[in-house]
Amino acid sequence: MFRICEHREIMNKVLAPIALAAVLALTGCAGAGTATSTTTAASDETPKVTPTPTPKPAPDLVGEWKQNNSKSSDGWMSATITSTTITANFVTDGGDTVSLFWVGTYTAPGDATSPYTWTSTRDKAATDSALLASTDDTKVFTYEDGELSFPVSIAGSSTTVRLSKV
């Protein structure tokens, strides 16, 4: 019986370190600063899925706009966009005088493509009697980087009016 006990003690002394080494090897816990493993983690077998970016919404241009490139402190252009029309006015006398320049169609952007450009068709009934209104049949409006712009020509002078949403 004494001999059997001696063999168990020897076996325990020999097998304990081997068992510990095997457990460490199987769990991937090698020494500090190393990361070795003989097994493949389940997450490595799962394919990486790249999330689809959420598309940017189309810009909402409906609302009030004011010229940001006016050279006068008491005169500028303003615009009002509704779901179907755009109206542009000359504003003078610090806001006391408003003169119609354009009333035409508005087509809202369908996506966030930039720049967004649409051709507005003039409402002749609304503009024919206005002294400073454009007589062009159509006018091209552009929206880009938060700014609405369109050309204005009066008495042979042309400029690009740039407006920001109020």
Side-chain angles (χ1 to χ4, degrees):
M1 178 125 124
F2 181 69
R3 276 204 156 323
I4 296 174
C5 288
E6 277 181 20
H7 287 289
R8 276 192 191 162
E9 282 182 40
I10 293 171
M11 293 291 278
N12 285 341
K13 286 181 183 177
V14 172
L15 290 179
I18 293 172
L20 179 61
V23 168
L24 290 175
L26 291 175
T27 60
C29 295
T34 61
T36 58
S37 175
T38 58
T39 62
T40 303
S43 65
D44 291 342
E45 295 172 8
T46 305
K48 303 275 189 237
V49 177
T50 304
T52 303
T54 304
K56 289 172 58 176
D60 180 11
L61 306 186
V62 172
E64 299 296 319
W65 296 77
K66 183 177 180 182
Q67 185 176 2
N68 60 32
N69 67 335
S70 175
K71 301 212 184 321
S72 171
S73 61
D74 71 340
W76 59 88
M77 287 198 77
S78 68
T80 301
I81 298 178
T82 68
S83 62
T84 59
T85 63
I86 180 166
T87 302
N89 295 300
F90 291 106
V91 181
T92 56
D93 298 327
D96 290 341
T97 305
V98 177
S99 302
L100 184 63
F101 172 72
W102 184 264
V103 178
T105 58
Y106 165 68
T107 306
D111 59 32
T113 301
S114 185
Y116 172 66
T117 302
W118 80 94
T119 301
S120 177
T121 302
R122 180 172 64 100
D123 180 342
K124 293 178 183 180
T127 57
D128 277 347
S129 62
L131 183 62
L132 297 177
S134 172
T135 57
D136 295 340
D137 289 332
T138 61
K139 185 164 287 298
V140 175
F141 289 84
T142 301
Y143 173 80
E144 184 173 23
D145 297 330
E147 188 174 80
L148 179 66
S149 62
F150 58 93
V152 173
S153 297
I154 295 179
S157 294
S158 296
T159 190
T160 298
V161 173
R162 301 184 186 288
L163 302 102
S164 299
K165 200 169 187 183
V166 180

